[in-house]
Amino acid sequence: MDAKAKWAVGRMPLAEGVQWVLRYALGDELLQGIWDEHRGRCYDKTISFPLLVWLTRDALVEFNSGHESFVKHQADRTLETSVQAAYGKLGRTPVAVSQGLLLQATRRLRELFPDWACWQTPASLRAFRVLIYDGKAIKRVAKRLKSCRGAAGGLLGGRAGVAVAWQTGLALAMRGDVAGAANAGKHCGELVPQVCDEFDSPRLHVSDRGFCDLRQPEHFTRRPGDRFLVRYHPKVKFHRDESVAARSSTNELGQSIVETWGWLGSEQDKRRRRVRRIELVRQDADNVILITDLLDADE
């Protein structure tokens, strides 16, 4: 960015800057390309995919609901169909289109992301690109069907597994599942390679306890140099190596940290992993236990 560009950005109101970024990240040509690649058997008619995206954007940014956005754009003839048709188009959009939209739009946002705004990792992890994985189910789904209204119990919507770049905080990619009860790590085999293709440097894969099993480390370490850090879940047994002495330390809050070495999984399981177990001892809450294949504690 040259001096003139920096001067122009510095004088640009924040709201206008956001609009310019949105126009770049969600350009019509890009959106149409995503639709053509992932639409499957769906097709364009009156409502194109770029129009649907911008109707949704207006619902989130300018109006109070999707219905209000559709009605307003009906009035100015941007939307030339009924509100019901717009909702139908939105409901029939394949999950693959949403996945492609996130991946491609984030790539464009990363082009604009300034280096000075990136979060700095500890010196010991500077060689890694830190990637965070989490799964989330859509809860408290509205009971739209007349036969469901007034009935007890809640509805569970779909689930998404998402990968986030820690240094920028940007969501990189996702895998969606219409089954809200699906396991959080179900789509790691597809999600991890896609995210890894975005970076050349070795990656440190970080995730919560829902990803703690013997299958996910295989995905996390498929590429040379990649490592993982996962919150421990007791569904997978940790077998301590008694020949290696435990190490104790204290953090800046005065809490004790105990490190031990051993294996994740039983001796009979071929997927067994040599790991380091890090336990943060807390007096007023459950201990936090992490499992990692970063075996050298000093390094």
Side-chain angles (χ1 to χ4, degrees):
M1 184 181 293
D2 58 23
K4 283 187 177 180
K6 288 183 178 179
W7 178 85
V9 170
R11 294 181 61 85
M12 181 181 293
L14 179 59
E16 185 179 358
V18 171
Q19 294 290 356
W20 276 101
V21 170
L22 279 174
R23 291 191 192 102
Y24 178 71
L26 301 175
D28 286 356
E29 185 177 345
L30 175 72
L31 295 176
Q32 191 60 50
I34 293 170
W35 174 259
D36 293 338
E37 181 179 356
H38 300 288
R39 66 182 179 85
R41 298 178 63 184
C42 296
Y43 57 89
D44 278 331
K45 199 173 181 181
T46 306
I47 305 177
S48 66
F49 182 61
L51 174 59
L52 186 63
V53 170
W54 285 102
L55 290 173
T56 306
R57 185 212 72 102
D58 287 350
L60 295 171
V61 175
E62 297 187 19
F63 304 115
N64 296 316
S65 66
H67 184 271
E68 184 177 346
S69 174
F70 297 158
V71 170
K72 293 286 187 181
H73 286 296
Q74 265 188 327
D76 64 17
R77 297 190 178 278
T78 303
L79 178 61
E80 298 180 344
T81 64
S82 66
V83 172
Q84 290 82 359
Y87 275 117
K89 179 77 171 184
L90 188 62
R92 292 190 299 272
T93 301
V95 174
V97 173
S98 297
Q99 295 170 172
L101 175 62
L102 177 61
L103 180 68
Q104 298 292 343
T106 301
R107 279 179 183 168
R108 288 203 168 186
L109 288 177
R110 284 169 50 207
E111 294 174 13
L112 305 176
F113 205 97
D115 292 337
W116 57 263
C118 293
W119 294 344
Q120 294 299 312
T121 54
S124 60
L125 298 175
R126 292 279 165 82
F128 292 98
R129 180 71 65 167
V130 181
L131 303 173
I132 301 174
Y133 300 85
D134 199 7
K136 186 67 176 178
I138 301 173
K139 301 176 182 177
R140 296 186 291 274
V141 178
K143 299 173 182 176
R144 300 295 186 191
L145 291 177
K146 188 174 182 179
S147 57
C148 294
R149 296 173 191 171
L155 297 178
L156 193 63
R159 173 180 287 275
V162 182
V164 175
W166 184 84
Q167 279 91 339
T168 62
L170 292 175
L172 298 169
M174 74 171 185
R175 278 293 179 271
D177 199 308
V178 295
N183 183 273
K186 177 180 178 181
H187 297 292
C188 253
E190 300 172 347
L191 185 59
V192 172
Q194 186 178 45
V195 176
C196 288
D197 287 341
E198 300 295 308
F199 303 103
D200 295 327
S201 56
R203 292 139 294 254
L204 175 62
H205 303 276
V206 181
S207 60
D208 206 351
R209 69 184 83 193
F211 295 80
C212 182
D213 55 37
L214 294 176
R215 180 178 55 186
Q216 307 315 324
E218 295 179 346
H219 300 315
F220 292 150
T221 60
R222 186 172 297 170
R223 303 202 179 193
D226 283 12
R227 297 290 183 264
F228 66 88
L229 175 69
V230 180
R231 191 169 181 181
Y232 177 67
H233 195 293
K235 66 182 179 182
V236 186
K237 297 299 182 183
F238 171 76
H239 301 270
R240 182 182 169 185
D241 183 355
E242 299 292 345
S243 65
V244 181
R247 290 177 50 159
S248 299
S249 59
T250 304
N251 66 10
E252 65 276 8
L253 299 178
Q255 297 169 317
S256 298
I257 300 173
V258 180
E259 297 177 84
T260 53
W261 284 257
W263 293 269
L264 192 65
S266 66
E267 189 174 355
Q268 292 75 31
D269 198 319
K270 295 181 179 180
R271 301 171 298 174
R272 191 186 200 199
R273 292 268 173 171
R274 178 76 174 178
V275 295
R276 178 162 58 109
R277 183 180 186 268
I278 308 167
E279 183 171 5
L280 173 67
V281 181
R282 301 192 291 181
Q283 302 299 325
D284 55 349
D286 293 338
N287 293 352
V288 176
I289 305 175
L290 306 177
I291 294 292
T292 180
D293 64 343
L294 295 168
L295 299 178
D296 191 328
D298 295 325
E299 182 183 359

